Amino acid sequence: MKKMLAFCLALCLVLALAGCGGAASGSVPAAGSAPASSAPASNQTIFSLADLEGKTVGVQLGTTGDTYAADIKDVTVDQYSKGADAVQALLTNKVDAVIIDNEPAKVFVSSNADKLMLLDEDFAVEDYAICMAKDKAELTEAFNGAIAQIKENGTLQAILDKYINGVEGAAGYVTPEGTEYPNGQLVMATNAYFPPYEYYEGETIVGIDAEFAKAICDILGYELVIEDMEFDSIITAVQSGKADFGAAGMTVTEDRLQNVNFTDSYCTGIQSVIVLK
């Protein structure tokens, strides 16, 4: 009888353990088993330029990033009217990467530091200049003279210190008191969604190109008027006379030289690649 009672108690204990999954809550995992991780999985699939092959890449329509992306093997290029739209497509997994100028790229990444990063490799290095219609050789020459003066007197450096170099207290360019505009107005075509080259502060377009163009126009006696438009409309606006010149972090390329002339370069640009972390 005692043996039977002991057997029944043992059986009940076995059944109770089986009903609880054989382990109590909070028990230590068996040796060799990996603890569950609470860290989110990485979304990064692109670690170098070579990894862009066969991927979908977002670009701003009409930019050199748009042109260069087509050279990637088996790539699918998605074009957007604004760089910010391409970045949003990356954030929502509609594209695998974005090719865009380095300075705007740094702004976009800084605003989404937990989700985005830049590849260490530069996609391309290029020169920025101001574009003008081919029949405005005299104005182009005048701009080149003003650009040389702005470089020599430190104005360009002050602008770059303010917008790129992060120099504390850098004022950039401010129109001297008493400046007059006897020669009328010049209209600058730009795409004001390209920080820090041009972007909105409230309803005012500011940035490197805005201040640089203002400095040039002040020297030459013109009042600057800035017109915001799609990037791929700038050259057409300059050709047609709707705008007197275009400044939008614009790279000098052989294709563009077929349609417009360029001033001397004022900045070196880098095409960079933004990817998900």
Side-chain angles (χ1 to χ4, degrees):
M1 189 64 164
K2 291 180 179 179
K3 290 183 179 180
M4 181 61 71
L5 181 58
F7 174 78
C8 290
L9 289 172
L11 180 62
C12 289
L13 180 60
V14 170
L15 291 174
L17 288 172
C20 293
S25 175
S27 60
V28 178
S33 63
S37 173
S38 60
S42 172
N43 292 311
Q44 189 177 8
T45 59
I46 298 172
F47 300 89
S48 68
L49 296 182
D51 294 332
L52 292 172
E53 182 177 326
K55 297 295 195 300
T56 300
V57 174
V59 298
Q60 184 176 4
L61 181 65
T63 62
T64 49
D66 186 4
T67 302
Y68 298 151
D71 295 331
I72 301 169
K73 185 177 180 181
D74 297 328
V75 72
T76 299
V77 180
D78 283 1
Q79 299 168 313
Y80 297 88
S81 61
K82 298 178 178 65
D85 293 340
V87 173
Q88 184 59 36
L90 176 61
L91 288 167
T92 53
N93 295 300
K94 294 178 182 176
V95 300
D96 300 304
V98 171
I99 299 175
I100 194 169
D101 296 68
N102 185 59
E103 293 303 327
K106 289 192 290 189
V107 174
F108 292 130
V109 169
S110 176
S111 299
N112 299 275
D114 59 328
K115 298 176 182 178
L116 301 178
M117 62 178 289
L118 288 173
L119 291 186
D120 291 335
E121 300 174 77
D122 296 337
F123 193 82
V125 178
E126 51 200 11
D127 289 323
Y128 293 158
I130 292 171
C131 72
M132 290 191 182
K134 287 187 171 292
D135 61 358
K136 291 191 174 181
E138 187 174 336
L139 185 61
T140 303
E141 185 177 350
F143 264 53
N144 282 338
I147 289 170
Q149 181 176 332
I150 289 167
K151 288 179 177 179
E152 185 176 347
N153 67 17
T155 298
L156 177 58
Q157 187 61 53
I159 294 170
L160 298 179
D161 284 346
K162 176 181 177 179
Y163 288 101
I164 291 182
N165 299 329
V167 176
E168 186 175 353
Y173 175 75
V174 179
T175 297
E177 187 175 347
T179 299
E180 297 181 352
Y181 307 108
N183 297 322
Q185 296 180 334
L186 287 180
V187 177
M188 165 181 147
T190 195
N191 177 250
Y193 297 90
F194 198 65
Y197 287 93
E198 40 269 322
Y199 60 97
Y200 280 97
E201 279 190 354
E203 296 183 358
T204 303
I205 298 174
V206 299
I208 294 170
D209 287 332
E211 289 194 19
F212 186 62
K214 180 63 173 167
I216 292 171
C217 289
D218 283 355
I219 289 172
L220 299 179
Y222 291 98
E223 180 184 4
L224 175 65
V225 177
I226 302 178
E227 295 286 345
D228 183 21
M229 61 187 67
E230 300 295 343
F231 185 86
D232 64 333
S233 298
I234 293 174
I235 287 179
T236 301
V238 169
Q239 286 179 300
S240 67
K242 180 180 177 181
D244 295 295
F245 65 96
M250 187 172 287
T251 305
V252 182
T253 68
E254 291 301 322
D255 286 343
R256 289 173 179 165
L257 284 169
Q258 300 299 314
N259 299 300
V260 291
N261 289 333
F262 282 92
T263 65
D264 295 336
S265 174
Y266 61 94
C267 273
T268 298
I270 296 172
Q271 289 290 318
S272 295
V273 180
I274 307 175
V275 297
L276 293 171
K277 280 188 172 180

